[in-house]
Amino acid sequence: MLAGAAAAIVVTLALAFIGPRWLDKAELATVDARFALRGDAAPPSDVVIVDLDDAGLAGSPPVSGGGGREDRISRDVHAQMIDVLREAGAAVIAYDFEFREPQPGDADLRAAIERAGPQLLLAATRIDSDGQGEVLGRSGDRLSATVGYAGFPIAEDGAYRQVDESVGLSGAERAEAVTSRLECFAVAAARLAGEPPERFERAWIDYRGPAGTYRTLRFADVLNMTDPAEPEAPDPAEIEGKVVVVGSSARVQGDLHPTAAGGD
């Protein structure tokens, strides 16, 4: 499952609170069994995933001048996607691609971020001394968008099962004030959607089901949504008023992780 999508899906889930201690593999299996007994649950209709899959990545314009793992497609394409989703009326755009460092030619991306405003949620995994996520080489609070921490605690078996409410430089010690901690991607998405969860430190993710449970649209098809000549383009009504989680299942992106629901 998409790492960021797994987090943002928490916006519609009741978090299951169990002691936030470190569990060995045998204990983790019992936790998985508890959720399995419930079985898969119907996904809510107001969450949609936009997935950059292997085929979509292969067909995207190459990045000029290099770039990190997060920059395997042009940032101009990301700017276009943000604009398309904003114009289609997405309630929240949870964008799980990290733009850690600035690059020449970022003007279109920066402009798209400013147009989208705080309903655009950007991912960060680097935190500065003030507890702000770093985006485009600077503190995220200098952008009009919202920034959330997109990392997860990793269980002994490598799976993503839990999510932290916020993260600071002290890590699990939580030594700093809440105001000096970065809200996690999931909590930020929930708040922007008008459904903030109750306060917690660390909680179990109650997955609704395995990969494919949520309505998923292909990245390339959504980009073509405004072109009536594209037969695979979705209807903008599939986006309007929705929490839209944008991420990548492309293997080369390295953002696939096992979860308690199995698989990636």
Side-chain angles (χ1 to χ4, degrees), residues 183-211:
E183 192 175 43
C184 82
F185 199 82
V187 171
R191 178 174 54 78
L192 293 175
E195 300 180 15
E198 295 181 6
R199 297 296 305 273
F200 65 95
E201 290 187 353
R202 177 170 290 182
W204 298 93
I205 302 172
D206 183 9
Y207 289 103
R208 290 291 177 100

Side-chain angles (χ1 to χ4, degrees), residues 28 31-33 35-36 157 159-161 204-205 207 209 257-263:
L28 289 172
V31 172
D32 293 348
F35 287 121
D157 61 357
Y160 283 2
R161 287 183 176 83
W204 298 93
I205 302 172
Y207 289 103
H257 305 274
T259 72

Side-chain angles (χ1 to χ4, degrees), residues 35-161:
F35 287 121
L37 283 173
R38 184 210 59 193
D40 294 346
S45 59
D46 60 349
V47 177
V48 176
I49 293 175
V50 174
D51 177 26
L52 178 65
D53 57 14
D54 288 295
L57 184 61
S60 298
V63 177
S64 60
R69 178 177 63 82
E70 68 275 16
D71 290 309
R72 295 188 184 275
I73 65 172
S74 168
R75 289 186 174 181
D76 288 348
V77 175
H78 290 297
Q80 182 184 352
M81 176 60 76
I82 291 169
D83 280 339
V84 165
L85 294 174
R86 174 182 56 81
E87 292 168 2
V92 178
I93 304 170
Y95 214 84
D96 187 30
F97 287 87
E98 188 174 11
F99 308 115
R100 181 176 290 184
E101 300 294 342
Q103 292 183 6
D106 275 346
D108 285 348
L109 176 60
R110 292 179 184 273
I113 290 171
E114 294 306 305
R115 285 190 291 268
Q119 292 305 107
L120 170 64
L121 172 61
L122 297 174
T125 56
R126 180 185 292 171
I127 303 173
D128 66 21
S129 58
D130 294 321
Q132 299 293 325
E134 295 186 10
V135 180
L136 297 173
R138 61 180 182 176
S139 177
D141 65 352
R142 298 175 62 186
L143 301 171
S144 68
T146 302
V147 179
Y149 182 74
F152 291 84
I154 300 176
E156 186 178 348
D157 61 357
Y160 283 2
R161 287 183 176 83

